[in-house]
Amino acid sequence: MNRAEEFSRQGFLVLPGFVPAATCDALKARAEQLVAGFQPETVSIFSTHEQTKTSDEYFLSSGDQIRFFFEEGAFKPDGSLRQDKALSINKIGHALHDLEPLFDRFSRTPELAALAAELGVKQPLLIQSMYIFKQPFIGGEVNSHQDATFLYTEPPTCLGFWFALEDATLENGCLWALPGGHQLGLKKRFLRAPGGGTTFQVLDPTPVPEEGMVPLEVKKGSLVVLHGLLPHKSGANTSPKSRHAYSVHLIDGTARYPEDNWLHRAPAMPPRGFSQR
């Protein structure tokens, strides 16, 4: 079975050794530099449990920016950080792949372009990127979800490339995925509410089955490819080891990207494909 057939059957691919260790280390070092230079004027907490917490302007205007989002467990009741800022950030999003030269080059290699084409993407557009820290002890769980909920196109074309920059294990919150679950259809959409903020539009009220999910424990340098309709999640990090990862999401430019999607980009900075600037 070739990669495209396996992807069509399972809804995900695990490709070990896709990224050299030195490249993983370079991305980690650059992300840590970005955090060191971040002076939080706006505190935005990333949560998959209560999405309204993230529907502030800082989040909603991050589609073509580099923004920093804190872990839910990062703060004391008085609002001060429990630990160092560098150990309190949940993720950086959502345009590293356009605004940071190192991440731009990494996200637009010929190998990734070939893989996207192999999986049927006709006109790839890199719409979103995230650097995810999954901090020791406080790295929160991410509930079961489908990426197409957040990056919806008609027809659904979202494709996720998730790179393990450190070993991902059961202890530090590896991904879990439901083999074949991409065939269940899209359950809901996350969109901008007419009166401001965001809301979920339920398309199918039947819950995503949790039973049958398998852990994707992978080594540093592995690439996990995720179908936009695939239910997946990650556990909390209860270990003393971080679980750094970088993800970039594609959509197909031949599909319609609705105006009410949460993620907007300025007209001067439309999403682009794999060609380097």
PDB file of all heavy atoms in Angstrom, residues 153-171:
ATOM      1  N   THR A 153     -13.221  24.557   4.493  1.00  0.00           N
ATOM      2  CA  THR A 153     -13.365  24.924   3.086  1.00  0.00           C
ATOM      3  C   THR A 153     -14.494  24.088   2.490  1.00  0.00           C
ATOM      4  O   THR A 153     -14.900  23.065   3.044  1.00  0.00           O
ATOM      5  CB  THR A 153     -12.079  24.681   2.271  1.00  0.00           C
ATOM      6  OG1 THR A 153     -11.763  23.274   2.264  1.00  0.00           O
ATOM      7  CG2 THR A 153     -10.904  25.471   2.829  1.00  0.00           C
ATOM      8  N   GLU A 154     -14.985  24.539   1.364  1.00  0.00           N
ATOM      9  CA  GLU A 154     -16.029  23.803   0.641  1.00  0.00           C
ATOM     10  C   GLU A 154     -15.505  23.441  -0.742  1.00  0.00           C
ATOM     11  O   GLU A 154     -15.281  24.346  -1.558  1.00  0.00           O
ATOM     12  CB  GLU A 154     -17.287  24.673   0.515  1.00  0.00           C
ATOM     13  CG  GLU A 154     -17.911  25.005   1.854  1.00  0.00           C
ATOM     14  CD  GLU A 154     -19.035  26.030   1.745  1.00  0.00           C
ATOM     15  OE1 GLU A 154     -19.174  26.685   0.672  1.00  0.00           O
ATOM     16  OE2 GLU A 154     -19.770  26.194   2.728  1.00  0.00           O
ATOM     17  N   PRO A 155     -15.251  22.167  -1.032  1.00  0.00           N
ATOM     18  CA  PRO A 155     -15.355  21.015  -0.124  1.00  0.00           C
ATOM     19  C   PRO A 155     -14.209  21.020   0.898  1.00  0.00           C
ATOM     20  O   PRO A 155     -13.260  21.788   0.736  1.00  0.00           O
ATOM     21  CB  PRO A 155     -15.227  19.815  -1.082  1.00  0.00           C
ATOM     22  CG  PRO A 155     -14.361  20.326  -2.190  1.00  0.00           C
ATOM     23  CD  PRO A 155     -14.769  21.766  -2.377  1.00  0.00           C
ATOM     24  N   PRO A 156     -14.261  20.143   1.931  1.00  0.00           N
ATOM     25  CA  PRO A 156     -13.182  20.108   2.928  1.00  0.00           C
ATOM     26  C   PRO A 156     -11.848  19.705   2.288  1.00  0.00           C
ATOM     27  O   PRO A 156     -11.776  18.694   1.590  1.00  0.00           O
ATOM     28  CB  PRO A 156     -13.648  19.039   3.925  1.00  0.00           C
ATOM     29  CG  PRO A 156     -15.128  18.951   3.737  1.00  0.00           C
ATOM     30  CD  PRO A 156     -15.363  19.221   2.282  1.00  0.00           C
ATOM     31  N   THR A 157     -10.822  20.532   2.505  1.00  0.00           N
ATOM     32  CA  THR A 157      -9.495  20.238   1.927  1.00  0.00           C
ATOM     33  C   THR A 157      -8.364  20.383   2.930  1.00  0.00           C
ATOM     34  O   THR A 157      -7.199  20.210   2.569  1.00  0.00           O
ATOM     35  CB  THR A 157      -9.210  21.181   0.743  1.00  0.00           C
ATOM     36  OG1 THR A 157      -9.231  22.547   1.204  1.00  0.00           O
ATOM     37  CG2 THR A 157     -10.215  21.002  -0.380  1.00  0.00           C
ATOM     38  N   CYS A 158      -8.665  20.724   4.182  1.00  0.00           N
ATOM     39  CA  CYS A 158      -7.614  20.988   5.163  1.00  0.00           C
ATOM     40  C   CYS A 158      -6.700  19.771   5.345  1.00  0.00           C
ATOM     41  O   CYS A 158      -7.163  18.632   5.433  1.00  0.00           O
ATOM     42  CB  CYS A 158      -8.260  21.363   6.495  1.00  0.00           C
ATOM     43  SG  CYS A 158      -7.097  21.610   7.835  1.00  0.00           S
ATOM     44  N   LEU A 159      -5.404  20.042   5.400  1.00  0.00           N
ATOM     45  CA  LEU A 159      -4.392  19.006   5.589  1.00  0.00           C
ATOM     46  C   LEU A 159      -3.381  19.524   6.599  1.00  0.00           C
ATOM     47  O   LEU A 159      -2.917  20.674   6.477  1.00  0.00           O
ATOM     48  CB  LEU A 159      -3.706  18.701   4.250  1.00  0.00           C
ATOM     49  CG  LEU A 159      -2.636  17.614   4.224  1.00  0.00           C
ATOM     50  CD1 LEU A 159      -3.263  16.235   4.432  1.00  0.00           C
ATOM     51  CD2 LEU A 159      -1.883  17.649   2.893  1.00  0.00           C
ATOM     52  N   GLY A 160      -3.051  18.720   7.609  1.00  0.00           N
ATOM     53  CA  GLY A 160      -2.125  19.150   8.644  1.00  0.00           C
ATOM     54  C   GLY A 160      -0.809  18.396   8.594  1.00  0.00           C
ATOM     55  O   GLY A 160      -0.786  17.171   8.484  1.00  0.00           O
ATOM     56  N   PHE A 161       0.299  19.139   8.669  1.00  0.00           N
ATOM     57  CA  PHE A 161       1.640  18.565   8.831  1.00  0.00           C
ATOM     58  C   PHE A 161       2.087  18.878  10.263  1.00  0.00           C
ATOM     59  O   PHE A 161       2.240  20.053  10.614  1.00  0.00           O
ATOM     60  CB  PHE A 161       2.632  19.178   7.841  1.00  0.00           C
ATOM     61  CG  PHE A 161       2.416  18.794   6.396  1.00  0.00           C
ATOM     62  CD1 PHE A 161       2.858  19.631   5.388  1.00  0.00           C
ATOM     63  CD2 PHE A 161       1.794  17.604   6.047  1.00  0.00           C
ATOM     64  CE1 PHE A 161       2.681  19.286   4.042  1.00  0.00           C
ATOM     65  CE2 PHE A 161       1.605  17.252   4.719  1.00  0.00           C
ATOM     66  CZ  PHE A 161       2.052  18.094   3.712  1.00  0.00           C
ATOM     67  N   TRP A 162       2.279  17.848  11.060  1.00  0.00           N
ATOM     68  CA  TRP A 162       2.640  18.007  12.486  1.00  0.00           C
ATOM     69  C   TRP A 162       4.018  17.383  12.695  1.00  0.00           C
ATOM     70  O   TRP A 162       4.203  16.179  12.486  1.00  0.00           O
ATOM     71  CB  TRP A 162       1.581  17.320  13.348  1.00  0.00           C
ATOM     72  CG  TRP A 162       1.676  17.512  14.832  1.00  0.00           C
ATOM     73  CD1 TRP A 162       1.019  18.427  15.597  1.00  0.00           C
ATOM     74  CD2 TRP A 162       2.467  16.729  15.760  1.00  0.00           C
ATOM     75  NE1 TRP A 162       1.343  18.273  16.930  1.00  0.00           N
ATOM     76  CE2 TRP A 162       2.225  17.241  17.053  1.00  0.00           C
ATOM     77  CE3 TRP A 162       3.342  15.651  15.611  1.00  0.00           C
ATOM     78  CZ2 TRP A 162       2.836  16.708  18.188  1.00  0.00           C
ATOM     79  CZ3 TRP A 162       3.964  15.119  16.739  1.00  0.00           C
ATOM     80  CH2 TRP A 162       3.697  15.654  18.011  1.00  0.00           C
ATOM     81  N   PHE A 163       4.975  18.211  13.088  1.00  0.00           N
ATOM     82  CA  PHE A 163       6.366  17.776  13.205  1.00  0.00           C
ATOM     83  C   PHE A 163       6.751  17.642  14.678  1.00  0.00           C
ATOM     84  O   PHE A 163       6.602  18.597  15.451  1.00  0.00           O
ATOM     85  CB  PHE A 163       7.305  18.790  12.549  1.00  0.00           C
ATOM     86  CG  PHE A 163       7.026  19.032  11.095  1.00  0.00           C
ATOM     87  CD1 PHE A 163       6.143  20.041  10.700  1.00  0.00           C
ATOM     88  CD2 PHE A 163       7.627  18.265  10.111  1.00  0.00           C
ATOM     89  CE1 PHE A 163       5.882  20.281   9.362  1.00  0.00           C
ATOM     90  CE2 PHE A 163       7.376  18.499   8.765  1.00  0.00           C
ATOM     91  CZ  PHE A 163       6.494  19.499   8.388  1.00  0.00           C
ATOM     92  N   ALA A 164       7.234  16.475  15.058  1.00  0.00           N
ATOM     93  CA  ALA A 164       7.710  16.266  16.427  1.00  0.00           C
ATOM     94  C   ALA A 164       9.133  16.812  16.535  1.00  0.00           C
ATOM     95  O   ALA A 164      10.061  16.261  15.937  1.00  0.00           O
ATOM     96  CB  ALA A 164       7.691  14.783  16.770  1.00  0.00           C
ATOM     97  N   LEU A 165       9.309  17.895  17.271  1.00  0.00           N
ATOM     98  CA  LEU A 165      10.638  18.467  17.467  1.00  0.00           C
ATOM     99  C   LEU A 165      11.327  17.872  18.687  1.00  0.00           C
ATOM    100  O   LEU A 165      12.521  18.103  18.906  1.00  0.00           O
ATOM    101  CB  LEU A 165      10.536  19.992  17.595  1.00  0.00           C
ATOM    102  CG  LEU A 165       9.830  20.690  16.427  1.00  0.00           C
ATOM    103  CD1 LEU A 165       9.839  22.200  16.631  1.00  0.00           C
ATOM    104  CD2 LEU A 165      10.466  20.331  15.084  1.00  0.00           C
ATOM    105  N   GLU A 166      10.566  17.120  19.458  1.00  0.00           N
ATOM    106  CA  GLU A 166      11.080  16.303  20.566  1.00  0.00           C
ATOM    107  C   GLU A 166      10.297  14.996  20.549  1.00  0.00           C
ATOM    108  O   GLU A 166       9.225  14.922  19.941  1.00  0.00           O
ATOM    109  CB  GLU A 166      10.884  17.012  21.913  1.00  0.00           C
ATOM    110  CG  GLU A 166      11.631  18.322  22.037  1.00  0.00           C
ATOM    111  CD  GLU A 166      11.354  19.030  23.363  1.00  0.00           C
ATOM    112  OE1 GLU A 166      10.185  19.138  23.769  1.00  0.00           O
ATOM    113  OE2 GLU A 166      12.320  19.471  23.991  1.00  0.00           O
ATOM    114  N   ASP A 167      10.794  13.984  21.220  1.00  0.00           N
ATOM    115  CA  ASP A 167      10.048  12.727  21.321  1.00  0.00           C
ATOM    116  C   ASP A 167       8.670  13.007  21.912  1.00  0.00           C
ATOM    117  O   ASP A 167       8.542  13.747  22.897  1.00  0.00           O
ATOM    118  CB  ASP A 167      10.772  11.726  22.220  1.00  0.00           C
ATOM    119  CG  ASP A 167      12.070  11.215  21.624  1.00  0.00           C
ATOM    120  OD1 ASP A 167      12.351  11.517  20.439  1.00  0.00           O
ATOM    121  OD2 ASP A 167      12.807  10.507  22.340  1.00  0.00           O
ATOM    122  N   ALA A 168       7.637  12.412  21.323  1.00  0.00           N
ATOM    123  CA  ALA A 168       6.270  12.550  21.837  1.00  0.00           C
ATOM    124  C   ALA A 168       5.847  11.195  22.399  1.00  0.00           C
ATOM    125  O   ALA A 168       5.801  10.202  21.674  1.00  0.00           O
ATOM    126  CB  ALA A 168       5.318  12.991  20.729  1.00  0.00           C
ATOM    127  N   THR A 169       5.548  11.151  23.692  1.00  0.00           N
ATOM    128  CA  THR A 169       5.250   9.904  24.398  1.00  0.00           C
ATOM    129  C   THR A 169       3.908  10.013  25.113  1.00  0.00           C
ATOM    130  O   THR A 169       3.321  11.097  25.219  1.00  0.00           O
ATOM    131  CB  THR A 169       6.340   9.602  25.433  1.00  0.00           C
ATOM    132  OG1 THR A 169       6.287  10.614  26.464  1.00  0.00           O
ATOM    133  CG2 THR A 169       7.732   9.609  24.808  1.00  0.00           C
ATOM    134  N   LEU A 170       3.432   8.903  25.636  1.00  0.00           N
ATOM    135  CA  LEU A 170       2.208   8.922  26.435  1.00  0.00           C
ATOM    136  C   LEU A 170       2.360   9.848  27.641  1.00  0.00           C
ATOM    137  O   LEU A 170       1.415  10.536  28.037  1.00  0.00           O
ATOM    138  CB  LEU A 170       1.864   7.506  26.906  1.00  0.00           C
ATOM    139  CG  LEU A 170       1.296   6.564  25.844  1.00  0.00           C
ATOM    140  CD1 LEU A 170       1.252   5.137  26.376  1.00  0.00           C
ATOM    141  CD2 LEU A 170      -0.108   7.010  25.421  1.00  0.00           C
ATOM    142  N   GLU A 171       3.556   9.882  28.207  1.00  0.00           N
ATOM    143  CA  GLU A 171       3.781  10.663  29.427  1.00  0.00           C
ATOM    144  C   GLU A 171       3.755  12.162  29.161  1.00  0.00           C
ATOM    145  O   GLU A 171       3.265  12.940  29.996  1.00  0.00           O
ATOM    146  CB  GLU A 171       5.120  10.274  30.068  1.00  0.00           C
ATOM    147  CG  GLU A 171       5.147   8.887  30.715  1.00  0.00           C
ATOM    148  CD  GLU A 171       5.151   7.760  29.671  1.00  0.00           C
ATOM    149  OE1 GLU A 171       5.708   7.955  28.573  1.00  0.00           O
ATOM    150  OE2 GLU A 171       4.583   6.694  29.973  1.00  0.00           O
TER     151      GLU A 171
END
